[in-house]
PDB file of all heavy atoms in Angstrom:
ATOM      1  N   ARG H  93      13.801  47.219 -28.777  1.00 55.00           N
ATOM      2  CA  ARG H  93      13.503  46.850 -27.521  1.00 55.00           C
ATOM      3  C   ARG H  93      12.085  46.423 -27.391  1.00 55.00           C
ATOM      4  O   ARG H  93      11.112  47.002 -27.883  1.00 55.00           O
ATOM      5  CB  ARG H  93      13.719  48.089 -26.567  1.00 55.00           C
ATOM      6  CG  ARG H  93      13.510  47.861 -25.159  1.00 55.00           C
ATOM      7  CD  ARG H  93      13.857  49.174 -24.329  1.00 55.00           C
ATOM      8  NE  ARG H  93      13.209  50.316 -24.874  1.00 55.00           N
ATOM      9  CZ  ARG H  93      11.972  50.767 -24.667  1.00 55.00           C
ATOM     10  NH1 ARG H  93      11.323  50.060 -23.887  1.00 55.00           N
ATOM     11  NH2 ARG H  93      11.599  51.860 -25.174  1.00 55.00           N
ATOM     12  N   LEU H  94      11.870  45.179 -26.680  1.00 50.00           N
ATOM     13  CA  LEU H  94      10.560  44.686 -26.553  1.00 50.00           C
ATOM     14  C   LEU H  94      10.006  44.986 -25.099  1.00 50.00           C
ATOM     15  O   LEU H  94      10.788  45.086 -24.187  1.00 50.00           O
ATOM     16  CB  LEU H  94      10.538  43.164 -26.683  1.00 50.00           C
ATOM     17  CG  LEU H  94      10.693  42.700 -28.144  1.00 50.00           C
ATOM     18  CD1 LEU H  94      10.744  41.201 -28.096  1.00 50.00           C
ATOM     19  CD2 LEU H  94       9.354  43.137 -28.840  1.00 50.00           C
ATOM     20  N   ARG H  95       8.790  45.208 -24.961  1.00 51.00           N
ATOM     21  CA  ARG H  95       8.168  45.397 -23.638  1.00 51.00           C
ATOM     22  C   ARG H  95       7.059  44.302 -23.511  1.00 51.00           C
ATOM     23  O   ARG H  95       6.454  43.822 -24.512  1.00 51.00           O
ATOM     24  CB  ARG H  95       7.329  46.700 -23.630  1.00 51.00           C
ATOM     25  CG  ARG H  95       8.278  47.905 -23.859  1.00 51.00           C
ATOM     26  CD  ARG H  95       7.562  49.243 -23.695  1.00 51.00           C
ATOM     27  NE  ARG H  95       6.180  49.251 -24.337  1.00 51.00           N
ATOM     28  CZ  ARG H  95       5.842  49.585 -25.528  1.00 51.00           C
ATOM     29  NH1 ARG H  95       6.790  50.095 -26.341  1.00 51.00           N
ATOM     30  NH2 ARG H  95       4.614  49.498 -25.965  1.00 51.00           N
ATOM     31  N   SER H  96       6.823  43.879 -22.263  1.00 53.00           N
ATOM     32  CA  SER H  96       5.851  42.890 -21.974  1.00 53.00           C
ATOM     33  C   SER H  96       4.484  43.476 -21.884  1.00 53.00           C
ATOM     34  O   SER H  96       4.347  44.640 -21.580  1.00 53.00           O
ATOM     35  CB  SER H  96       6.232  42.021 -20.862  1.00 53.00           C
ATOM     36  OG  SER H  96       6.174  42.799 -19.688  1.00 53.00           O
ATOM     37  N   GLY H  97       3.465  42.700 -22.074  1.00 61.00           N
ATOM     38  CA  GLY H  97       2.043  43.181 -21.835  1.00 61.00           C
ATOM     39  C   GLY H  97       1.609  44.151 -22.980  1.00 61.00           C
ATOM     40  O   GLY H  97       0.739  44.944 -22.621  1.00 61.00           O
ATOM     41  N   MET H  98       2.057  43.973 -24.116  1.00 68.00           N
ATOM     42  CA  MET H  98       1.674  44.860 -25.206  1.00 68.00           C
ATOM     43  C   MET H  98       0.332  44.522 -25.871  1.00 68.00           C
ATOM     44  O   MET H  98       0.046  43.356 -25.887  1.00 68.00           O
ATOM     45  CB  MET H  98       2.677  44.966 -26.341  1.00 68.00           C
ATOM     46  CG  MET H  98       4.024  45.592 -25.927  1.00 68.00           C
ATOM     47  SD  MET H  98       5.103  45.636 -27.310  1.00 68.00           S
ATOM     48  CE  MET H  98       5.602  43.916 -27.612  1.00 68.00           C
ATOM     49  N   SER H  99      -0.399  45.553 -26.274  1.00 73.00           N
ATOM     50  CA  SER H  99      -1.596  45.179 -27.080  1.00 73.00           C
ATOM     51  C   SER H  99      -1.214  44.815 -28.400  1.00 73.00           C
ATOM     52  O   SER H  99      -0.064  45.021 -28.872  1.00 73.00           O
ATOM     53  CB  SER H  99      -2.511  46.415 -27.097  1.00 73.00           C
ATOM     54  OG  SER H  99      -1.920  47.433 -27.952  1.00 73.00           O
ATOM     55  N   ILE H 100      -2.123  44.325 -29.233  1.00 73.00           N
ATOM     56  CA  ILE H 100      -1.832  43.960 -30.645  1.00 73.00           C
ATOM     57  C   ILE H 100      -1.342  45.137 -31.293  1.00 73.00           C
ATOM     58  O   ILE H 100      -0.398  45.025 -32.202  1.00 73.00           O
ATOM     59  CB  ILE H 100      -3.101  43.363 -31.295  1.00 73.00           C
ATOM     60  CG1 ILE H 100      -3.325  41.860 -30.659  1.00 73.00           C
ATOM     61  CG2 ILE H 100      -2.968  43.198 -32.805  1.00 73.00           C
ATOM     62  CD1 ILE H 100      -2.245  40.929 -30.884  1.00 73.00           C
ATOM     63  N   ARG H 101      -1.923  46.354 -31.199  1.00 74.00           N
ATOM     64  CA  ARG H 101      -1.483  47.462 -31.976  1.00 74.00           C
ATOM     65  C   ARG H 101      -0.053  47.825 -31.501  1.00 74.00           C
ATOM     66  O   ARG H 101       0.730  48.151 -32.397  1.00 74.00           O
ATOM     67  CB  ARG H 101      -2.481  48.655 -31.549  1.00 74.00           C
ATOM     68  CG  ARG H 101      -2.083  49.874 -32.445  1.00 74.00           C
ATOM     69  CD  ARG H 101      -3.182  50.852 -32.506  1.00 74.00           C
ATOM     70  NE  ARG H 101      -4.527  50.426 -32.683  1.00 74.00           N
ATOM     71  CZ  ARG H 101      -5.021  50.037 -33.875  1.00 74.00           C
ATOM     72  NH1 ARG H 101      -4.228  50.203 -34.908  1.00 74.00           N
ATOM     73  NH2 ARG H 101      -6.243  49.588 -34.071  1.00 74.00           N
ATOM     74  N   GLU H 102       0.330  47.738 -30.282  1.00 74.00           N
ATOM     75  CA  GLU H 102       1.691  47.968 -29.763  1.00 74.00           C
ATOM     76  C   GLU H 102       2.610  46.945 -30.368  1.00 74.00           C
ATOM     77  O   GLU H 102       3.702  47.373 -30.787  1.00 74.00           O
ATOM     78  CB  GLU H 102       1.747  47.985 -28.217  1.00 74.00           C
ATOM     79  CG  GLU H 102       1.050  49.221 -27.560  1.00 74.00           C
ATOM     80  CD  GLU H 102       1.022  49.022 -26.089  1.00 74.00           C
ATOM     81  OE1 GLU H 102       0.711  47.880 -25.586  1.00 74.00           O
ATOM     82  OE2 GLU H 102       1.080  50.054 -25.444  1.00 74.00           O
ATOM     83  N   LYS H 103       2.180  45.685 -30.386  1.00 71.00           N
ATOM     84  CA  LYS H 103       3.004  44.695 -31.034  1.00 71.00           C
ATOM     85  C   LYS H 103       3.324  45.081 -32.515  1.00 71.00           C
ATOM     86  O   LYS H 103       4.396  44.818 -33.001  1.00 71.00           O
ATOM     87  CB  LYS H 103       2.341  43.327 -30.962  1.00 71.00           C
ATOM     88  CG  LYS H 103       2.447  42.748 -29.531  1.00 71.00           C
ATOM     89  CD  LYS H 103       1.714  41.440 -29.446  1.00 71.00           C
ATOM     90  CE  LYS H 103       1.588  41.045 -28.065  1.00 71.00           C
ATOM     91  NZ  LYS H 103       0.842  39.714 -27.881  1.00 71.00           N
ATOM     92  N   GLN H 104       2.271  45.564 -33.239  1.00 70.00           N
ATOM     93  CA  GLN H 104       2.444  45.938 -34.561  1.00 70.00           C
ATOM     94  C   GLN H 104       3.474  47.092 -34.713  1.00 70.00           C
ATOM     95  O   GLN H 104       4.256  47.028 -35.648  1.00 70.00           O
ATOM     96  CB  GLN H 104       1.066  46.345 -35.265  1.00 70.00           C
ATOM     97  CG  GLN H 104       0.199  45.093 -35.420  1.00 70.00           C
ATOM     98  CD  GLN H 104      -1.161  45.571 -35.824  1.00 70.00           C
ATOM     99  OE1 GLN H 104      -1.960  46.336 -35.247  1.00 70.00           O
ATOM    100  NE2 GLN H 104      -1.579  45.073 -37.083  1.00 70.00           N
TER     101      GLN H 104
END
Side-chain angles (χ1 to χ4, degrees):
R93 182 176 48 87
L94 282 175
R95 301 178 324 262
S96 62
M98 292 183 289
S99 70
I100 288 299
R101 187 163 312 283
E102 290 171 322
K103 288 177 187 178
Q104 288 173 299

